[in-house]
Amino acid sequence: MREETEFRPKPLVQVGGRPILWHIMKHYSFYGLHDFILCVGYRGDMIKRYFMEMRWLNNDFSIQTGHSGEVRYLTSRDEDWNVTVVDTGPETLTGGRIKKIREYIDSDRFMLTYGDGLSNVDLHALQDCHTRSGKIATLTGVNPVSPFGVMQLRDGNVTAFREKPVLKDIINGGFMVLKKEVFEYIPSEDCAFEQEPLHRLAADSQISVYRHDGFWTAIDTYKDVERVNALWNRGDAPWKVWS
């Protein structure tokens, strides 16, 4: 996604005039989750600046440019969020980023997601699934859409084409619930969470899966950015669960 990320971190790529990160946080906020810890790296200063400047970015205001410098806000489009921004380093792998926020986790469990995925997953149902399972980790399982069209064959002949079908395989959709014990599965700050930690958790039968059959998409390419913007602009954004 060089067209976008050469100048800003991926979570700040715009969808409908707002960063992807804003859309993700609005999703969590809709389910009553207002406390966020952001593990920032590449161009993390831009994410810090976004939240420091969020109020005047999102509202109309009047400012006295003279001695007082008084600012009067004319609208109140404010988000009720508690945001902790942690600089986890530009080259740190995902396991290391999680390990570096351990001291900021003050509950027995927490939720985790990436900064480039949009979904309408029911976060209450995800939490309930995690509670029932008793496992350390619960992942959201989704069926991805193939990036390619496929051919249907019979006796060596093509009988039909299927454009970008939904695959039968299940992948980790990135919306997770974790107990604090997960930190014991991250051996160092030099590891990807998707590798050794998740593999060890699976080997110990400590991962449950919440199946999500609704909307889910990763935003990995510029075409993905154009696609989700088109959905938003025509009022057909399935991840917009808030009003």
Side-chain angles (χ1 to χ4, degrees), residues 206-225:
Q206 285 296 330
I207 302 179
S208 64
V209 174
Y210 170 72
R211 290 291 303 272
H212 172 62
D213 297 321
F215 177 82
W216 176 88
T217 186
I219 303 175
D220 293 323
T221 68
Y222 187 68
K223 284 187 176 181
D224 293 331
V225 176

Side-chain angles (χ1 to χ4, degrees), residues 109-110 125-138 177-179 208 210:
R109 72 179 187 182
F110 61 100
L126 170 60
Q127 291 181 87
D128 290 343
C129 176
H130 178 73
T131 300
R132 291 193 305 269
S133 74
K135 305 293 186 181
I136 292 176
T138 299
V177 186
L178 305 169
K179 291 183 179 179
S208 64
Y210 170 72

Side-chain angles (χ1 to χ4, degrees), residues 48-80:
K48 292 179 181 180
R49 191 175 302 116
Y50 174 76
F51 286 97
M52 292 295 292
E53 300 174 349
M54 173 181 270
R55 192 173 188 198
W56 67 260
L57 283 171
N58 291 345
N59 287 288
D60 301 333
F61 63 88
S62 293
I63 184 169
Q64 169 54 252
T65 61
H67 179 70
S68 70
E70 179 185 355
V71 177
R72 182 166 59 92
Y73 288 93
L74 308 177
T75 56
S76 57
R77 294 186 290 267
D78 299 316
E79 308 296 349
D80 185 20

Side-chain angles (χ1 to χ4, degrees), residues 138-171:
T138 299
L139 312 182
T140 297
V142 299
N143 297 98
V145 175
S146 171
F148 307 104
V150 299
M151 297 184 294
Q152 292 181 327
L153 304 177
R154 181 183 301 159
D155 300 325
N157 298 311
V158 176
T159 59
F161 291 91
R162 294 172 57 208
E163 284 300 318
K164 300 181 179 180
V166 175
L167 301 177
K168 294 181 179 180
D169 292 327
I170 300 172
I171 66 169

